[in-house]
Amino acid sequence: MFTPTLFKSQIKTTLGALLCSSMMVSNANAWSEHSLISYPILNTMPEVAEQAPIKVETLAEFVIAEAKGLEKLLASNETWLRENFAHYKPRPDALAFDAVNQDLQTSFIHAIRINPNARVNPYIQLLPGQDEQGRRRMDSSEVAVFTNLAHYNTMTFVEVKSGDMVTPMEVLVSANDDPDNGLDIGLFEDSNTEAGKLYGFGKQAFGNPALEYSSQAPFHMGFYHESSILFTLAPFLRETFPDYRVHMYKALSEYAFSTGHDYWGWRFMGWGMHYIGDIAQSYHSTLQPGVSTASSIWTNAKDIMGYPQAKIDAIQLLSNRHLVLEEFQEIITKKAYEDNDFSSALFTALTQETAVVEYNDNTFVEVFAKNSYDKSDKLAGYLERWVPEQLVSDPSFEVDGSKEIKMIVQLIREQHGEEGITKMTNLLAEFMLDHNANTRSYVRAILSHKS
Ligand SMILES: [Zn+2]
């Protein structure tokens, strides 16, 4: 027999393992290269695309120039978060930004609780086909913190320096990927880092703290709409923080614009945009897309009673499907760029002027995350119907690193013909249309504060 407490601790292990699986693979990013998705959206927003070039400023320059104002802003933002976000982990008082601190940049980094090793120097990530303009090409390690940088091989980064002129578009599109480049790595008590011990985020609720990439998972996934019984059994599901990140970066962006520091206005806006993109992907908003709560709990119960196979299978399928969606998106997106196919379903979804909700403090959770959660059953259904069984319904098959995943489009075509490709592409386009609407909503809300 098992006691309720034991059951609870077991369910934590099991559900935690489920969540962990989706971030275990080396490059599970929700969407591959956010910049390729956000560029077509932003390029059709005249309020972004037609902005005049702006002057680059380093983080230290911004923080030193605005020390007093930032001290006030961050203090009032902290108060707001404590009062309004029920599951917020308060920033320890000792980390409050201090305008007379000797090392203002470090004080700022601690106050906003990002990875102190994150690369915050100005840079630009070139878009496919964009010229280097004589700028120095940077090594991936100057932009991202990871030990393994293999998946950065296809991207080009160039250096920009304080005083250089850049377009807001260049800043925004580059900054959009920053949160996947290391801002949220190693921030938990059990991350075995100094920052983790200081920051007050507690122990990592799910994911594997031993895996470098996995420690950002609770910042890039948000579970707000699971059934109440799941939250009761597994309260750690509440320990996710993308809503906090979005709120803070929006406040910083608006502050930077209002004080004439446009470079940081656009850069912070880009950081917030990242989480808005992530949450639009059902595997980042839903514990187990396509699986009922009852079934989740039954899988866990069997595991506890000594029959772990259902759990092991569920973990494998979750991971496989997450990767299949991401790889399909990556191939279709890169192909659309290669072909300059601006009439493709994908570009049409990203470039159309679509209905946009007016953004407020609840929009991220109540609209963006909710839409994504509501689409999760449909997404799982499409994967089961239109992707070869081996890749999405065979728990004995490991998709990560397989040759089949690279051939995903071809395999769909072989089995389901052009209809399969069209169905899956149209589904992807539906997610991209949400991505489009969410981005416009967020960017417009910030720019309404820009003079
Ligand atoms: Zn992410």
Side-chain angles (χ1 to χ4, degrees), residues 29 34 180 216 220 274 278:
N29 279 342
H34 283 244
D180 271 347
Q216 74 172 25
H220 295 237
H274 179 90
D278 273 357

Side-chain angles (χ1 to χ4, degrees), residues 394-413:
D394 176 0
S396 68
F397 186 73
E398 173 61 81
V399 161
D400 192 18
S402 68
K403 67 174 190 317
E404 284 81 358
I405 185 68
K406 297 286 167 210
M407 300 159 57
I408 177 88
V409 172
Q410 187 187 330
L411 292 174
I412 294 174
R413 188 174 277 119

Side-chain angles (χ1 to χ4, degrees), residues 283 289-291 321 375-385 427:
Y283 283 91
V291 178
R321 290 175 179 198
K375 282 206 165 76
S376 62
D377 277 343
K378 181 173 180 181
L379 170 60
Y382 268 59
L383 291 172
E384 285 166 19
R385 170 73 180 81
L427 178 72

Side-chain angles (χ1 to χ4, degrees), residues 3 56 64 100 129 201 260 267 297 305 320:
T3 63
V56 172
I64 290 167
V100 294
F201 288 120
R267 187 125 182 216
I297 291 173
M305 291 185 283
N320 285 356

